[in-house]
């Protein structure tokens, strides 16, 4: 009344739930807001009270208050669910169980579900005894009312056990048809004859207990977990793990950059510092770059070199390991279209060369910056048949952007060349120029190789 006439009123802990209920029925949105602000204060919303607040918010349709309670439960899951005062009705409890944000282990959550079911059973038994009518004559022939006080019925109502056990244990809840009698019918949550319903037999509950007991002591279970989404606890643990790994990787990278600054050619860092911001074409050909210099180039690319479109690193001392460092840095270059690596000993050492081909192929397949390359120069890099096979697999596995691929002056033979050409067979891809001059390909094999090239491909042998 005070709010209706004066737009102002006071609420207390003793009256706020009644006021919220009345405000909902009268559609007094301003009063609902006042109650929401009152109940969301930390001194009022805590583990002992959040259950009652959630139930009141649900009944009143106070969405902001309800969401506040659900988020509080996400963040304080164990404290709330272990509190005996937290006993929402089945439908609301099922909504709580369905949340991915719960920071709790599935085994612990299952135990709290069973605790809730036992409290619900006690509550129903007491209510049934109070409402039990006196027996009258002639009732022997009447159909027995379904037992709503069994533990199974408590778990079945509104799909409480369906939500928790379906996410946690196999087999799933059994879907059975109640024909009006029989063992399965008596085990269920009630219902009329011929109605399909959920049935939770004792075997399923025992199997669930067995599964969790075995998991708790680190023993294998024949029952597999069915939850495919991560709860908040798993996400939190994973984020902390990934964050720790990222921090360690960042520290290790910074230490590597500092060491490279001490050992690299002094002109490298000074030369990179002269490049204008947003530069698109960078040529470091013939600068004598080695492993430590590539660390500094990679660091520059991650920071100021993200707009690079073409990068020329021909005629240096770049080996496989140092190039891998650069490939990691080039992931930052979304606009990179051309990469020239010719006349570098990338494939030196045979087995190491095969690893280079695999790494380069994986980078192209990964869908990052290298998958958008239009021009890739690898002439005179000592690539072998194995490298050609890896490149062929990468170029043939998915759409790519490579238009010009330079592989002259390597150790690629007839079979490697065939695999490269066959990877483009039947594809209307962007590759229009493939350079294989000065490789280990006999002139007698040229006609066969040219026959494998699709009409739009310029093959240089």
């Amino acid at each position: 009344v005070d709010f209706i006439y004066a737009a102002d009123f006071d609420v207390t802990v003793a009256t706020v739930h009644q006021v919220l209920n009345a405000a909902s029925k009268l559609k007094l949105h301003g009063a609902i807001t006042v109650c929401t602000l009152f109940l969301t204060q930390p001194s009022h919303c805590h583990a002992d009270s959040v259950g009652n607040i959630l139930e009141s918010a649900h009944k009143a349709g106070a969405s902001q208050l309800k969401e506040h309670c659900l988020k509080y439960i996400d963040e304080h899951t164990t404290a709330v669910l272990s509190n005996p005062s937290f006993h929402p009705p089945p439908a609301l409890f099922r909504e709580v169980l369905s949340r991915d944000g719960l920071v709790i282990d599935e085994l612990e959550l299952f135990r709290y579900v069973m605790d809730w079911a036992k409290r619900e059973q006690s509550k129903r038994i007491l209510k049934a005894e109070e409402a039990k009518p006196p027996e009258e004559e002639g009732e022997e022939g009447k159909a027995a009312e379904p037992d709503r006080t069994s533990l199974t019925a408590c778990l079945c109502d509104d799909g409480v056990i369906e939500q928790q056990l379906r996410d946690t244990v196999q087999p799933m809840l059994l879907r059975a048809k109640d024909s009006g009698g029989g063992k399965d019918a008596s085990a269920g949550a009630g219902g009329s004859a011929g109605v399909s319903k959920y049935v939770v037999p004792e075997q399923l509950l025992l199997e669930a207990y067995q599964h969790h007991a075995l998991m708790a002591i680190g023993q294998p279970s024949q029952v597999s977990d069915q939850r495919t989404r991560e709860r908040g606890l798993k996400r939190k643990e994973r984020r902390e793990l990934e964050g720790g790994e990222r921090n360690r990787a960042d520290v290790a990278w910074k230490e590597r950059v500092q060491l490279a600054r001490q050992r690299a050619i002094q002109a490298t860092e000074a030369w990179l510092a002269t490049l204008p911001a947003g530069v698109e074409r960078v040529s470091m050909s013939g600068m004598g770059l080695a492993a430590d210099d590539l660390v500094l180039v990679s660091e520059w690319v991650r920071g100021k070199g993200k707009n690079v479109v073409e990068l020329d690193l021909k005629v240096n001392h770049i080996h496989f390991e140092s190039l891998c460092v650069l490939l990691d840095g080039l992931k930052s270059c979304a606009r990179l279209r051309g990469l020239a690596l010719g006349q570098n000993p990338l494939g030196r050492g045979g087995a190491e060369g095969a690893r280079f081909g695999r790494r380069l192929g994986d980078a192209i397949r990964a869908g990052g910056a290298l998958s958008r390359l239009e021009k890739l120069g690898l002439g005179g890099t000592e690539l072998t048949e194995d490298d050609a096979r890896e490149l062929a697999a990468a170029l043939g596995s998915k759409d790519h952007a490579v238009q010009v691929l330079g592989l002259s002056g390597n150790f690629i033979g007839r079979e490697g060349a065939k695999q490269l050409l066959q990877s483009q067979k039947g594809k209307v891809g962007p590759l229009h120029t493939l350079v294989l001059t000065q490789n280990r390909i006999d002139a007698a094999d040229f006609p066969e190789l040219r026959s494998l090239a699709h009409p739009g491909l310029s093959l240089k042998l």
Side-chain angles (χ1 to χ4, degrees):
V1 175
D2 289 341
F3 181 80
I4 292 174
Y5 287 99
D8 186 26
F9 69 99
D10 294 323
V11 291
T12 65
V13 174
T15 62
V16 65
H17 293 281
Q18 295 174 333
V19 172
L20 178 62
N21 183 48
S24 172
K25 292 179 178 178
L26 297 172
K27 301 188 182 303
L28 300 176
H29 300 295
I32 293 175
T33 301
V34 172
C35 293
T36 297
L37 293 173
F38 179 85
L39 289 170
T40 52
Q41 295 177 24
S43 58
H44 296 144
C45 185
H46 44 73
D48 293 327
S49 64
V50 69
N52 291 332
I53 297 175
L54 176 64
E55 193 169 348
S56 293
H58 179 70
K59 290 179 179 177
S63 57
Q64 290 184 346
L65 180 58
K66 181 179 178 180
E67 185 60 27
H68 177 86
C69 293
L70 291 172
K71 287 182 178 179
Y72 181 92
I73 295 170
D74 286 346
E75 297 170 2
H76 307 85
T77 308
T78 301
V80 174
L81 295 185
S82 62
N83 196 312
S85 65
F86 182 77
H87 192 83
L92 191 54
F93 190 42
R94 181 178 189 268
E95 185 175 349
V96 171
L97 294 175
S98 69
R99 292 181 65 83
D100 294 335
L102 297 179
V103 182
I104 192 170
D105 180 75
E106 294 298 318
L107 169 59
E108 191 177 5
L109 183 60
F110 179 77
R111 289 172 178 159
Y112 289 136
V113 170
M114 299 309 297
D115 290 342
W116 174 92
K118 291 171 185 175
R119 292 197 299 270
E120 179 71 11
Q121 183 183 28
S122 299
K123 181 179 176 182
R124 292 187 182 189
I125 290 174
L126 181 61
K127 186 176 181 180
E129 290 176 350
E130 293 175 350
K132 189 174 182 180
E135 293 186 4
E136 297 180 4
E137 294 183 6
E139 290 190 346
E140 291 82 0
K142 282 189 176 181
E145 292 290 329
D147 183 10
R148 310 296 300 169
T149 62
S150 68
L151 186 63
T152 301
C154 296
L155 290 170
C156 281
D157 278 0
D158 292 296
V160 169
I161 198 67
E162 173 192 358
Q163 182 63 49
Q164 223 292 311
L165 270 185
R166 174 163 292 187
D167 283 347
T168 313
V169 212
Q170 270 190 337
M172 301 296 189
L173 283 172
L174 304 180
R175 186 82 174 178
K177 180 167 286 189
D178 181 7
S179 58
K183 186 175 179 180
D184 283 345
S186 63
S192 59
V195 176
S196 182
K197 64 178 184 178
Y198 282 116
V199 178
V200 183
E202 290 184 4
Q203 180 183 356
L204 179 58
L205 296 178
L206 291 174
E207 194 169 333
Y209 273 120
Q210 180 188 30
H211 166 76
H212 288 301
L214 289 171
M215 296 295 288
I217 61 175
Q219 296 297 318
S221 169
Q222 297 301 317
V223 184
S224 59
D225 286 346
Q226 283 300 292
R227 186 167 188 84
T228 56
R229 304 183 309 277
E230 287 183 332
R231 292 276 191 193
L233 179 63
K234 295 295 183 183
R235 289 204 304 271
K236 180 181 178 183
E237 291 174 347
R238 179 170 53 80
R239 282 197 300 267
E240 289 175 352
L241 180 61
E242 291 175 351
E245 291 175 349
R246 281 196 299 270
N247 290 337
R248 287 191 294 273
D250 290 343
V251 170
W253 174 250
K254 289 177 182 178
E255 291 176 350
R256 190 170 185 180
V257 171
Q258 287 299 113
L259 185 61
R261 283 175 176 150
Q262 298 172 11
R263 300 189 306 193
I265 303 172
Q266 292 184 354
T268 302
E269 191 169 24
W271 187 87
L272 289 170
T274 64
L275 294 175
V279 63
E280 294 184 346
R281 289 169 176 79
V282 176
S283 176
M284 303 185 77
S285 177
M287 288 181 60
L289 304 179
D292 292 315
D293 301 289
L294 263 289
V295 172
L296 299 180
V297 174
S298 182
E299 175 70 2
W300 175 81
V301 165
R302 295 168 192 242
K304 298 180 180 179
K306 294 181 179 180
N307 291 322
V308 170
V309 176
E310 293 185 2
L311 180 60
D312 182 358
L313 296 172
K314 296 192 301 289
V315 196
N316 282 291
H317 307 297
I318 302 173
H319 289 75
F320 166 74
E321 295 296 343
S322 54
L323 180 64
C324 288
V325 173
L326 179 63
L327 292 180
D328 287 336
L330 290 177
K331 294 176 182 178
S332 305
C333 295
R335 301 178 60 197
L336 186 67
R337 296 296 180 268
L339 180 62
L341 296 169
Q343 305 304 314
N344 282 289
L346 298 175
R348 184 166 295 175
E352 187 176 58
R355 286 165 52 207
F356 162 68
R358 187 177 305 113
R359 179 67 180 269
L360 188 61
D362 289 343
I364 293 173
R365 280 188 289 260
L370 292 188
S371 67
R372 295 187 289 271
L373 281 179
E374 296 175 357
K375 295 182 288 184
L376 178 59
L378 295 170
T381 53
E382 305 179 20
L383 303 186
T384 65
E385 294 276 65
D386 290 334
D387 296 304
R389 183 177 63 253
E390 297 289 349
L391 280 172
L395 297 176
S397 63
K398 60 174 291 185
D399 292 335
H400 58 84
V402 179
Q403 299 177 17
V404 180
L405 179 59
L407 298 172
S408 62
N410 285 295
F411 304 135
I412 299 173
R414 170 177 170 272
E415 291 303 317
K418 283 181 64 176
Q419 290 184 30
L420 284 166
L421 292 167
Q422 287 172 345
S423 71
Q424 301 302 300
K425 191 174 182 179
K427 292 183 65 177
V428 185
L431 185 65
H432 59 68
T433 303
L434 176 60
V435 183
L436 289 170
T437 56
Q438 298 178 6
N439 274 280
R440 294 180 175 178
I441 305 173
D442 293 334
D445 297 322
F446 288 180
E448 179 189 8
L449 294 177
R450 288 196 174 97
S451 69
L452 294 175
H454 64 74
L457 178 63
S458 173
L459 177 62
K460 299 183 179 181
L461 297 171

